[in-house]
Amino acid sequence: MNDNKYAASDRAFRWEDINLHAAEAHVKKLQRRIVGAWSVDDRAKMKSLQHRMIHSLAAKALAVKYVTSNNGRYPAKK
């Protein structure tokens, strides 16, 4: 088994099995905590929370959902 705790092989799931409402709540909570750490200038806490956000399955799932459901409404700028 792969020892990397962020390896894709450690997370076998189907897209339909992801609870997107719970994922959105999780991401929003992390975002609020990051803003709170920023407002009191706690850089170590900000870095820790940002790392948690970057490696969060919930954040990655929401990013994929937002990009794939875009339908060209807001195309990327060149």
Side-chain angles (χ1 to χ4, degrees):
M1 186 164 183
N2 193 343
D3 290 330
N4 184 352
K5 70 179 186 177
Y6 299 115
S9 62
D10 292 340
R11 296 181 177 149
F13 62 89
R14 295 180 326 157
W15 180 254
E16 296 83 18
D17 295 338
I18 299 173
N19 184 346
L20 291 174
H21 293 292
E24 197 166 337
H26 177 70
V27 169
K28 286 187 182 291
K29 182 177 179 180
L30 274 174
Q31 289 173 333
R32 282 193 302 269
R33 290 181 66 197
I34 291 169
V35 169
W38 177 80
S39 67
V40 296
D41 200 29
D42 187 350
R43 294 177 189 264
K45 180 61 101 174
M46 273 182 12
K47 184 176 179 180
S48 171
L49 291 170
Q50 287 171 341
H51 182 271
R52 184 180 286 187
M53 174 75 80
I54 290 168
H55 295 289
S56 164
L57 177 63
K60 291 176 186 177
L62 285 177
V64 170
K65 177 191 165 226
Y66 292 155
V67 169
T68 58
S69 65
N70 187 0
N71 295 328
R73 185 168 176 200
Y74 299 108
K77 296 180 181 179
K78 293 183 180 181

